[in-house]
Short mmCIF file of all heavy atoms in Angstrom, two decimals:
data_model
loop_
_atom_site.label_atom_id
_atom_site.label_comp_id
_atom_site.label_asym_id
_atom_site.label_seq_id
_atom_site.Cartn_x
_atom_site.Cartn_y
_atom_site.Cartn_z
N MET A 1 -35.89 126.69 -69.20
CA MET A 1 -36.35 125.74 -68.10
C MET A 1 -37.84 126.16 -67.71
O MET A 1 -38.05 127.39 -67.23
CB MET A 1 -35.34 125.80 -67.00
CG MET A 1 -35.76 124.91 -65.91
SD MET A 1 -35.66 123.10 -66.31
CE MET A 1 -36.61 122.33 -64.94
N GLN A 2 -38.66 125.32 -67.83
CA GLN A 2 -40.08 125.54 -67.17
C GLN A 2 -40.62 124.45 -66.49
O GLN A 2 -40.00 123.16 -66.69
CB GLN A 2 -41.00 126.07 -68.30
CG GLN A 2 -41.26 124.91 -69.50
CD GLN A 2 -42.16 125.44 -70.59
OE1 GLN A 2 -42.09 126.71 -70.78
NE2 GLN A 2 -42.86 124.63 -71.16
N CYS A 3 -41.65 124.47 -65.67
CA CYS A 3 -42.10 123.46 -64.93
C CYS A 3 -42.59 122.22 -65.78
O CYS A 3 -43.44 122.62 -66.69
CB CYS A 3 -43.06 123.90 -63.85
SG CYS A 3 -43.85 122.72 -62.92
N ILE A 4 -42.28 121.03 -65.40
CA ILE A 4 -42.77 119.92 -66.18
C ILE A 4 -44.26 119.77 -65.91
O ILE A 4 -44.97 119.27 -66.74
CB ILE A 4 -41.92 118.62 -65.77
CG1 ILE A 4 -40.59 118.83 -66.35
CG2 ILE A 4 -42.56 117.45 -66.28
CD1 ILE A 4 -39.48 117.79 -65.87
N ASN A 5 -44.66 120.06 -64.78
CA ASN A 5 -46.02 119.90 -64.45
C ASN A 5 -47.02 121.02 -64.95
O ASN A 5 -47.92 120.67 -65.53
CB ASN A 5 -46.15 119.86 -62.89
CG ASN A 5 -47.47 119.45 -62.38
OD1 ASN A 5 -48.18 118.49 -62.92
ND2 ASN A 5 -48.01 120.16 -61.41
N CYS A 6 -46.65 122.24 -64.66
CA CYS A 6 -47.66 123.37 -64.97
C CYS A 6 -47.13 124.30 -65.93
O CYS A 6 -47.80 125.24 -66.30
CB CYS A 6 -48.05 124.05 -63.67
SG CYS A 6 -46.63 125.04 -62.98
N GLN A 7 -45.95 124.10 -66.53
CA GLN A 7 -45.24 124.88 -67.53
C GLN A 7 -45.06 126.29 -67.12
O GLN A 7 -44.71 127.06 -67.88
CB GLN A 7 -46.21 124.97 -68.78
CG GLN A 7 -45.81 123.72 -69.79
CD GLN A 7 -46.41 122.47 -69.25
OE1 GLN A 7 -47.52 122.30 -68.83
NE2 GLN A 7 -45.61 121.40 -69.26
N SER A 8 -45.08 126.51 -65.79
CA SER A 8 -44.67 127.88 -65.32
C SER A 8 -43.28 128.08 -65.47
O SER A 8 -42.45 127.14 -65.33
CB SER A 8 -45.17 127.95 -63.81
OG SER A 8 -44.50 129.04 -63.23
N LYS A 9 -42.79 129.33 -65.58
CA LYS A 9 -41.40 129.72 -65.64
C LYS A 9 -41.01 130.31 -64.33
O LYS A 9 -39.80 130.70 -64.11
CB LYS A 9 -41.06 130.64 -66.71
CG LYS A 9 -41.27 129.97 -68.10
CD LYS A 9 -40.44 130.84 -69.18
CE LYS A 9 -40.21 130.10 -70.44
NZ LYS A 9 -41.61 129.93 -71.16
N ASN A 10 -41.91 130.23 -63.28
CA ASN A 10 -41.69 130.82 -61.96
C ASN A 10 -40.91 129.71 -61.16
O ASN A 10 -41.44 129.19 -60.24
CB ASN A 10 -43.02 131.12 -61.39
CG ASN A 10 -42.74 131.90 -60.12
OD1 ASN A 10 -41.69 132.40 -59.80
ND2 ASN A 10 -43.83 132.16 -59.40
N LEU A 11 -39.76 129.45 -61.51
CA LEU A 11 -38.89 128.37 -60.83
C LEU A 11 -37.78 129.07 -60.08
O LEU A 11 -37.25 130.06 -60.53
CB LEU A 11 -38.30 127.44 -61.86
CG LEU A 11 -39.29 126.67 -62.81
CD1 LEU A 11 -38.46 125.79 -63.70
CD2 LEU A 11 -40.19 125.82 -61.97
N GLY A 12 -37.48 128.39 -58.95
CA GLY A 12 -36.24 128.80 -58.20
C GLY A 12 -35.24 127.74 -58.38
O GLY A 12 -35.64 126.55 -58.35
N GLU A 13 -34.05 128.08 -58.45
CA GLU A 13 -32.98 127.13 -58.43
C GLU A 13 -32.35 127.04 -57.12
O GLU A 13 -31.82 127.82 -56.51
CB GLU A 13 -31.88 127.46 -59.43
CG GLU A 13 -30.87 126.32 -59.72
CD GLU A 13 -29.95 126.59 -60.94
OE1 GLU A 13 -30.02 127.74 -61.43
OE2 GLU A 13 -29.33 125.67 -61.26
N ILE A 14 -32.69 125.85 -56.46
CA ILE A 14 -32.19 125.47 -55.02
C ILE A 14 -30.74 125.21 -55.10
O ILE A 14 -30.01 125.52 -54.25
CB ILE A 14 -33.04 124.21 -54.50
CG1 ILE A 14 -34.49 124.48 -54.55
CG2 ILE A 14 -32.64 124.05 -52.96
CD1 ILE A 14 -35.22 123.29 -54.35
N ALA A 15 -30.41 124.54 -56.16
CA ALA A 15 -28.93 124.03 -56.16
C ALA A 15 -28.76 123.70 -57.66
O ALA A 15 -29.79 123.75 -58.47
CB ALA A 15 -28.66 122.81 -55.34
N PRO A 16 -27.43 123.58 -58.18
CA PRO A 16 -27.18 123.39 -59.54
C PRO A 16 -28.13 122.04 -60.00
O PRO A 16 -28.07 120.95 -59.40
CB PRO A 16 -25.83 123.01 -59.71
CG PRO A 16 -25.16 123.83 -58.52
CD PRO A 16 -26.23 123.68 -57.38
N GLY A 17 -28.92 122.26 -61.07
CA GLY A 17 -29.82 121.11 -61.47
C GLY A 17 -30.94 120.77 -60.63
O GLY A 17 -31.49 119.66 -60.87
N HIS A 18 -31.28 121.66 -59.59
CA HIS A 18 -32.28 121.27 -58.73
C HIS A 18 -33.17 122.50 -58.58
O HIS A 18 -32.83 123.54 -58.18
CB HIS A 18 -31.61 120.99 -57.40
CG HIS A 18 -32.55 120.31 -56.37
ND1 HIS A 18 -32.11 119.88 -55.17
CD2 HIS A 18 -33.85 120.11 -56.41
CE1 HIS A 18 -33.11 119.36 -54.55
NE2 HIS A 18 -34.12 119.52 -55.15
N TYR A 19 -34.46 122.31 -59.14
CA TYR A 19 -35.33 123.40 -59.22
C TYR A 19 -36.76 123.26 -58.45
O TYR A 19 -37.08 122.16 -58.09
CB TYR A 19 -35.84 123.59 -60.67
CG TYR A 19 -34.62 123.80 -61.70
CD1 TYR A 19 -33.98 122.64 -62.27
CD2 TYR A 19 -34.14 125.10 -61.84
CE1 TYR A 19 -32.95 122.89 -63.06
CE2 TYR A 19 -33.04 125.22 -62.77
CZ TYR A 19 -32.49 124.06 -63.36
OH TYR A 19 -31.39 124.31 -64.15
N TYR A 20 -37.24 124.33 -58.08
CA TYR A 20 -38.53 124.39 -57.31
C TYR A 20 -39.48 125.20 -57.97
O TYR A 20 -39.21 126.34 -58.38
CB TYR A 20 -38.25 124.82 -55.68
CG TYR A 20 -39.53 124.69 -54.91
CD1 TYR A 20 -39.94 123.62 -54.44
CD2 TYR A 20 -40.14 126.05 -54.67
CE1 TYR A 20 -41.00 123.61 -53.61
CE2 TYR A 20 -41.33 125.92 -53.86
CZ TYR A 20 -41.66 124.66 -53.34
OH TYR A 20 -42.82 124.73 -52.48
N CYS A 21 -40.70 124.77 -58.21
CA CYS A 21 -41.67 125.53 -58.85
C CYS A 21 -42.49 126.21 -57.79
O CYS A 21 -43.16 125.54 -56.95
CB CYS A 21 -42.61 124.54 -59.66
SG CYS A 21 -44.04 125.50 -60.42
N TRP A 22 -42.64 127.54 -57.97
CA TRP A 22 -43.39 128.28 -56.88
C TRP A 22 -44.81 128.22 -57.23
O TRP A 22 -45.69 128.79 -56.42
CB TRP A 22 -42.86 129.80 -56.86
CG TRP A 22 -41.52 129.86 -56.34
CD1 TRP A 22 -40.38 130.02 -57.08
CD2 TRP A 22 -41.06 129.76 -54.99
NE1 TRP A 22 -39.33 130.05 -56.19
CE2 TRP A 22 -39.65 129.85 -54.93
CE3 TRP A 22 -41.69 129.54 -53.81
CZ2 TRP A 22 -38.96 129.81 -53.83
CZ3 TRP A 22 -40.96 129.64 -52.61
CH2 TRP A 22 -39.59 129.65 -52.66
N ASN A 23 -45.25 127.75 -58.38
CA ASN A 23 -46.57 127.92 -58.84
C ASN A 23 -47.36 126.54 -58.36
O ASN A 23 -48.46 126.68 -57.77
CB ASN A 23 -46.76 127.93 -60.37
CG ASN A 23 -48.02 128.21 -60.87
OD1 ASN A 23 -48.57 129.16 -60.38
ND2 ASN A 23 -48.57 127.46 -61.73
N CYS A 24 -46.71 125.44 -58.49
CA CYS A 24 -47.41 124.12 -58.06
C CYS A 24 -46.60 123.36 -56.99
O CYS A 24 -47.02 122.26 -56.67
CB CYS A 24 -47.65 123.24 -59.32
SG CYS A 24 -46.15 122.51 -60.04
N PHE A 25 -45.48 124.00 -56.55
CA PHE A 25 -44.88 123.46 -55.31
C PHE A 25 -44.28 122.09 -55.50
O PHE A 25 -44.34 121.18 -54.73
CB PHE A 25 -45.85 123.39 -54.02
CG PHE A 25 -46.51 124.77 -53.85
CD1 PHE A 25 -47.87 124.80 -54.13
CD2 PHE A 25 -45.79 125.83 -53.57
CE1 PHE A 25 -48.53 126.03 -53.94
CE2 PHE A 25 -46.36 127.08 -53.43
CZ PHE A 25 -47.77 127.27 -53.64
N ILE A 26 -43.68 121.76 -56.62
CA ILE A 26 -42.92 120.54 -56.84
C ILE A 26 -41.50 120.84 -57.11
O ILE A 26 -41.09 122.11 -57.47
CB ILE A 26 -43.46 119.66 -58.04
CG1 ILE A 26 -43.27 120.43 -59.42
CG2 ILE A 26 -44.92 119.30 -57.83
CD1 ILE A 26 -43.35 119.59 -60.60
N GLU A 27 -40.65 119.83 -56.85
CA GLU A 27 -39.25 119.91 -56.94
C GLU A 27 -38.81 119.16 -58.26
O GLU A 27 -39.40 118.02 -58.50
CB GLU A 27 -38.44 119.28 -55.90
CG GLU A 27 -38.27 120.23 -54.70
CD GLU A 27 -37.21 119.51 -53.68
OE1 GLU A 27 -36.50 118.48 -54.09
OE2 GLU A 27 -37.20 119.96 -52.53
N MET A 28 -37.91 119.62 -58.90
CA MET A 28 -37.33 118.86 -60.08
C MET A 28 -35.92 118.84 -59.92
O MET A 28 -35.20 119.83 -59.83
CB MET A 28 -37.64 119.54 -61.48
CG MET A 28 -39.09 119.41 -61.84
SD MET A 28 -39.61 120.80 -63.02
CE MET A 28 -39.83 122.12 -61.71
N ARG A 29 -35.29 117.63 -59.89
CA ARG A 29 -33.93 117.41 -59.68
C ARG A 29 -33.31 116.64 -60.84
O ARG A 29 -33.82 115.58 -61.17
CB ARG A 29 -33.66 116.61 -58.39
CG ARG A 29 -32.23 116.52 -57.96
CD ARG A 29 -32.12 116.23 -56.63
NE ARG A 29 -33.04 115.11 -56.14
CZ ARG A 29 -32.79 113.84 -56.19
NH1 ARG A 29 -31.62 113.50 -56.71
NH2 ARG A 29 -33.69 113.01 -55.88
N LYS A 30 -32.47 117.35 -61.57
CA LYS A 30 -31.77 116.71 -62.64
C LYS A 30 -30.74 115.62 -62.24
O LYS A 30 -29.95 115.92 -61.37
CB LYS A 30 -31.09 117.80 -63.40
CG LYS A 30 -30.56 117.38 -64.82
CD LYS A 30 -30.08 118.35 -65.76
CE LYS A 30 -29.41 119.49 -65.67
NZ LYS A 30 -28.91 120.22 -66.81
N GLN A 31 -31.09 114.50 -62.77
CA GLN A 31 -30.11 113.38 -62.51
C GLN A 31 -29.84 112.57 -63.77
O GLN A 31 -30.82 112.05 -64.41
CB GLN A 31 -30.92 112.44 -61.55
CG GLN A 31 -29.91 111.66 -60.57
CD GLN A 31 -30.63 111.11 -59.37
OE1 GLN A 31 -31.44 110.22 -59.51
NE2 GLN A 31 -30.32 111.70 -58.28
N GLN A 32 -28.66 112.76 -64.34
CA GLN A 32 -28.32 112.18 -65.52
C GLN A 32 -29.36 112.72 -66.58
O GLN A 32 -29.35 114.00 -66.70
CB GLN A 32 -28.19 110.76 -65.60
CG GLN A 32 -26.97 110.28 -64.65
CD GLN A 32 -26.96 108.86 -64.15
OE1 GLN A 32 -27.97 108.13 -64.42
NE2 GLN A 32 -26.08 108.42 -63.37
N GLU A 33 -29.92 111.82 -67.40
CA GLU A 33 -30.69 112.37 -68.51
C GLU A 33 -32.15 112.60 -68.09
O GLU A 33 -32.92 112.94 -69.04
CB GLU A 33 -30.62 111.42 -69.77
CG GLU A 33 -31.11 110.09 -69.39
CD GLU A 33 -30.63 109.14 -70.41
OE1 GLU A 33 -31.03 109.10 -71.59
OE2 GLU A 33 -29.75 108.13 -70.03
N PHE A 34 -32.53 112.45 -66.94
CA PHE A 34 -33.92 112.66 -66.58
C PHE A 34 -33.99 113.62 -65.32
O PHE A 34 -33.17 113.61 -64.42
CB PHE A 34 -34.60 111.18 -66.14
CG PHE A 34 -34.83 110.37 -67.36
CD1 PHE A 34 -33.91 109.31 -67.56
CD2 PHE A 34 -35.67 110.60 -68.33
CE1 PHE A 34 -34.09 108.41 -68.59
CE2 PHE A 34 -35.88 109.80 -69.51
CZ PHE A 34 -35.01 108.61 -69.54
N TYR A 35 -35.19 114.23 -65.26
CA TYR A 35 -35.52 114.95 -64.07
C TYR A 35 -36.33 114.02 -63.07
O TYR A 35 -37.25 113.26 -63.55
CB TYR A 35 -36.39 116.21 -64.31
CG TYR A 35 -35.71 117.34 -65.06
CD1 TYR A 35 -35.83 117.52 -66.28
CD2 TYR A 35 -34.80 118.17 -64.26
CE1 TYR A 35 -35.17 118.56 -66.96
CE2 TYR A 35 -34.13 119.15 -64.91
CZ TYR A 35 -34.29 119.35 -66.15
OH TYR A 35 -33.55 120.38 -66.80
N HIS A 36 -36.08 114.13 -61.91
CA HIS A 36 -36.83 113.41 -60.79
C HIS A 36 -37.72 114.48 -60.14
O HIS A 36 -37.27 115.43 -59.77
CB HIS A 36 -35.85 112.78 -59.76
CG HIS A 36 -35.21 111.51 -60.39
ND1 HIS A 36 -35.51 110.21 -60.10
CD2 HIS A 36 -34.16 111.53 -61.26
CE1 HIS A 36 -34.67 109.50 -60.96
NE2 HIS A 36 -33.89 110.22 -61.52
N ILE A 37 -39.03 114.08 -60.11
CA ILE A 37 -40.03 114.89 -59.78
C ILE A 37 -40.57 114.73 -58.23
O ILE A 37 -40.81 113.38 -58.07
CB ILE A 37 -41.18 115.00 -60.66
CG1 ILE A 37 -40.76 114.85 -62.10
CG2 ILE A 37 -42.00 116.19 -60.43
CD1 ILE A 37 -40.01 115.95 -62.65
N HIS A 38 -40.69 115.54 -57.47
CA HIS A 38 -41.10 115.26 -56.07
C HIS A 38 -42.05 116.45 -55.68
O HIS A 38 -41.90 117.64 -56.11
CB HIS A 38 -40.13 115.32 -55.10
CG HIS A 38 -39.10 114.09 -55.11
ND1 HIS A 38 -38.04 114.15 -55.95
CD2 HIS A 38 -39.28 112.94 -54.49
CE1 HIS A 38 -37.42 112.98 -55.80
NE2 HIS A 38 -38.13 112.16 -55.02
N GLU A 39 -43.12 116.04 -54.93
CA GLU A 39 -44.00 117.14 -54.41
C GLU A 39 -43.38 117.35 -52.90
O GLU A 39 -43.11 116.34 -52.23
CB GLU A 39 -45.41 116.76 -54.38
CG GLU A 39 -46.33 117.60 -53.72
CD GLU A 39 -47.82 117.13 -53.74
OE1 GLU A 39 -47.96 115.93 -54.15
OE2 GLU A 39 -48.65 117.82 -53.24
N VAL A 40 -43.38 118.54 -52.47
CA VAL A 40 -42.93 118.86 -51.12
C VAL A 40 -44.20 118.99 -50.26
O VAL A 40 -45.10 119.82 -50.42
CB VAL A 40 -42.12 120.07 -51.07
CG1 VAL A 40 -41.58 120.29 -49.64
CG2 VAL A 40 -40.96 120.11 -52.00
N ASP A 41 -44.32 118.00 -49.36
CA ASP A 41 -45.50 117.99 -48.35
C ASP A 41 -45.36 119.07 -47.34
O ASP A 41 -44.33 119.62 -47.22
CB ASP A 41 -45.51 116.60 -47.73
CG ASP A 41 -47.00 116.20 -47.38
OD1 ASP A 41 -47.85 117.12 -47.51
OD2 ASP A 41 -47.22 115.00 -47.01
N LEU A 42 -46.41 119.32 -46.67
CA LEU A 42 -46.45 120.47 -45.71
C LEU A 42 -45.37 120.19 -44.55
O LEU A 42 -44.91 121.21 -44.05
CB LEU A 42 -47.92 120.57 -45.11
CG LEU A 42 -48.91 121.04 -46.02
CD1 LEU A 42 -50.28 121.07 -45.26
CD2 LEU A 42 -48.59 122.49 -46.52
N ASP A 43 -45.21 118.97 -44.16
CA ASP A 43 -44.23 118.75 -43.19
C ASP A 43 -42.82 118.67 -43.72
O ASP A 43 -41.79 118.22 -42.96
CB ASP A 43 -44.54 117.41 -42.34
CG ASP A 43 -44.49 116.24 -43.21
OD1 ASP A 43 -44.01 116.20 -44.40
OD2 ASP A 43 -44.85 115.14 -42.76
N GLY A 44 -42.58 118.91 -45.02
CA GLY A 44 -41.28 118.88 -45.54
C GLY A 44 -40.79 117.62 -46.27
O GLY A 44 -39.67 117.59 -46.80
N SER A 45 -41.63 116.59 -46.15
CA SER A 45 -41.24 115.27 -46.61
C SER A 45 -41.52 115.37 -48.13
O SER A 45 -42.21 116.24 -48.67
CB SER A 45 -41.97 114.15 -46.01
OG SER A 45 -43.33 114.39 -46.19
N LEU A 46 -40.83 114.47 -48.96
CA LEU A 46 -40.87 114.56 -50.43
C LEU A 46 -41.71 113.31 -50.85
O LEU A 46 -41.45 112.25 -50.55
CB LEU A 46 -39.47 114.42 -50.95
CG LEU A 46 -38.57 115.75 -50.66
CD1 LEU A 46 -37.19 115.33 -51.27
CD2 LEU A 46 -39.12 116.93 -51.33
N LEU A 47 -42.72 113.59 -51.74
CA LEU A 47 -43.54 112.49 -52.25
C LEU A 47 -43.11 112.34 -53.71
O LEU A 47 -43.26 113.36 -54.53
CB LEU A 47 -44.92 112.92 -52.22
CG LEU A 47 -45.61 113.38 -50.80
CD1 LEU A 47 -46.86 113.91 -51.04
CD2 LEU A 47 -45.49 112.13 -49.91
N PRO A 48 -42.64 111.15 -54.18
CA PRO A 48 -42.27 111.03 -55.55
C PRO A 48 -43.43 111.09 -56.45
O PRO A 48 -44.43 110.48 -56.26
CB PRO A 48 -41.57 109.57 -55.53
CG PRO A 48 -41.93 108.96 -54.32
CD PRO A 48 -42.45 109.99 -53.26
N LEU A 49 -43.28 111.83 -57.53
CA LEU A 49 -44.26 112.02 -58.60
C LEU A 49 -43.83 111.40 -59.98
O LEU A 49 -44.55 111.70 -60.91
CB LEU A 49 -44.71 113.41 -58.73
CG LEU A 49 -45.31 114.20 -57.48
CD1 LEU A 49 -45.61 115.49 -57.85
CD2 LEU A 49 -46.54 113.44 -56.98
N ASN A 50 -42.70 110.76 -59.97
CA ASN A 50 -42.24 110.35 -61.33
C ASN A 50 -43.26 109.60 -62.19
O ASN A 50 -43.27 109.70 -63.31
CB ASN A 50 -40.95 109.47 -61.15
CG ASN A 50 -39.78 110.28 -60.63
OD1 ASN A 50 -39.88 111.51 -60.68
ND2 ASN A 50 -38.68 109.55 -60.32
N ASP A 51 -44.05 108.83 -61.43
CA ASP A 51 -45.10 107.92 -62.09
C ASP A 51 -46.10 108.68 -62.96
O ASP A 51 -46.80 108.30 -63.78
CB ASP A 51 -45.78 107.03 -61.19
CG ASP A 51 -44.76 106.03 -60.52
OD1 ASP A 51 -43.75 105.87 -61.15
OD2 ASP A 51 -45.10 105.16 -59.57
N LEU A 52 -46.27 110.02 -62.54
CA LEU A 52 -47.40 110.83 -63.12
C LEU A 52 -46.90 111.48 -64.52
O LEU A 52 -47.60 111.99 -65.22
CB LEU A 52 -47.71 112.04 -62.27
CG LEU A 52 -48.22 111.60 -60.92
CD1 LEU A 52 -48.70 112.99 -60.09
CD2 LEU A 52 -49.34 110.68 -61.08
N PHE A 53 -45.64 111.10 -64.74
CA PHE A 53 -45.01 111.83 -66.00
C PHE A 53 -44.34 110.75 -66.86
O PHE A 53 -43.79 109.75 -66.31
CB PHE A 53 -43.94 112.91 -65.64
CG PHE A 53 -44.56 114.07 -64.81
CD1 PHE A 53 -44.55 113.92 -63.38
CD2 PHE A 53 -45.15 115.13 -65.43
CE1 PHE A 53 -45.02 114.91 -62.65
CE2 PHE A 53 -45.74 116.06 -64.55
CZ PHE A 53 -45.63 115.94 -63.21
N SER A 54 -44.45 110.96 -68.19
CA SER A 54 -43.81 109.99 -69.05
C SER A 54 -42.30 110.27 -69.11
O SER A 54 -41.77 111.32 -68.68
CB SER A 54 -44.35 110.22 -70.46
OG SER A 54 -44.00 111.35 -71.09
N GLU A 55 -41.51 109.27 -69.62
CA GLU A 55 -40.10 109.46 -69.64
C GLU A 55 -39.80 110.68 -70.61
O GLU A 55 -38.82 111.35 -70.38
CB GLU A 55 -39.54 108.27 -70.24
CG GLU A 55 -39.36 107.10 -69.34
CD GLU A 55 -38.33 106.10 -69.59
OE1 GLU A 55 -37.90 106.04 -70.82
OE2 GLU A 55 -37.96 105.35 -68.76
N ASP A 56 -40.63 110.83 -71.62
CA ASP A 56 -40.40 112.02 -72.51
C ASP A 56 -40.52 113.30 -71.86
O ASP A 56 -39.83 114.28 -72.11
CB ASP A 56 -41.36 111.91 -73.84
CG ASP A 56 -40.81 111.01 -74.80
OD1 ASP A 56 -39.60 110.50 -74.73
OD2 ASP A 56 -41.55 110.61 -75.68
N GLU A 57 -41.56 113.45 -70.95
CA GLU A 57 -41.64 114.73 -70.26
C GLU A 57 -40.53 114.91 -69.22
O GLU A 57 -40.26 116.09 -68.92
CB GLU A 57 -43.05 114.61 -69.43
CG GLU A 57 -44.29 114.70 -70.28
CD GLU A 57 -45.52 114.51 -69.49
OE1 GLU A 57 -45.68 113.34 -68.92
OE2 GLU A 57 -46.41 115.28 -69.61
N ARG A 58 -40.04 113.85 -68.72
CA ARG A 58 -39.01 114.03 -67.72
C ARG A 58 -37.67 114.11 -68.29
O ARG A 58 -36.66 114.38 -67.52
CB ARG A 58 -39.04 112.77 -66.80
CG ARG A 58 -40.36 112.79 -65.81
CD ARG A 58 -40.45 111.58 -65.08
NE ARG A 58 -39.20 111.21 -64.45
CZ ARG A 58 -38.63 110.03 -64.47
NH1 ARG A 58 -39.21 108.93 -65.04
NH2 ARG A 58 -37.47 109.73 -63.85
N ARG A 59 -37.41 113.77 -69.53
CA ARG A 59 -36.14 113.81 -70.14
C ARG A 59 -35.52 115.26 -70.17
O ARG A 59 -36.26 116.25 -70.46
CB ARG A 59 -36.25 113.29 -71.62
CG ARG A 59 -34.82 112.90 -72.23
CD ARG A 59 -35.03 112.47 -73.57
NE ARG A 59 -35.83 111.31 -73.69
CZ ARG A 59 -35.50 110.00 -73.60
NH1 ARG A 59 -34.18 109.79 -73.22
NH2 ARG A 59 -36.25 109.06 -73.66
N VAL A 60 -34.23 115.28 -69.76
CA VAL A 60 -33.57 116.65 -69.81
C VAL A 60 -33.39 117.04 -71.26
O VAL A 60 -33.02 116.31 -72.01
CB VAL A 60 -32.25 116.63 -69.09
CG1 VAL A 60 -31.41 117.78 -69.33
CG2 VAL A 60 -32.44 116.12 -67.61
N GLN A 61 -33.81 118.23 -71.50
CA GLN A 61 -33.67 118.80 -72.99
C GLN A 61 -32.28 119.00 -73.30
O GLN A 61 -31.52 119.66 -72.66
CB GLN A 61 -34.47 120.07 -73.07
CG GLN A 61 -35.97 119.92 -72.75
CD GLN A 61 -36.70 118.94 -73.61
OE1 GLN A 61 -36.59 119.01 -74.83
NE2 GLN A 61 -37.46 118.08 -73.10
ZN1 LIG B 1 -45.17 123.94 -61.62
#
């Protein structure tokens, strides 16, 4: 498992299938066959980033 955005392996697992990248501060949440990507804003709100990635990049390996 590495970050879809920055390819870092510096990930924390928040919950099963739910990862946080300590390098670029995004969340990846596995949902069926795709990861859902969010950026965590400073106030804790989540900004969806799915549109920045192709389906192939988001597909669970
Ligand atoms: Zn990252």
Side-chain angles (χ1 to χ4, degrees):
M1 181 66 195
Q2 61 185 33
C3 177
I4 291 171
N5 185 46
C6 69
Q7 275 71 52
S8 164
K9 293 197 164 76
N10 189 14
L11 300 179
E13 190 167 11
I14 307 169
H18 194 172
Y19 303 92
Y20 183 75
C21 178
W22 294 104
N23 192 53
C24 67
F25 312 112
I26 65 166
E27 275 189 19
M28 284 156 284
R29 187 160 43 88
K30 190 164 39 171
Q31 211 165 66
Q32 293 162 358
E33 62 200 288
F34 293 105
Y35 286 104
H36 289 256
I37 323 293
H38 292 89
E39 182 179 0
V40 183
D41 210 350
L42 291 177
D43 65 4
S45 59
L46 295 174
L47 307 171
L49 297 180
N50 286 346
D51 291 350
L52 300 184
F53 301 93
S54 69
E55 286 200 343
D56 278 348
E57 289 173 302
R58 292 171 48 229
R59 194 182 300 275
V60 174
Q61 303 298 317

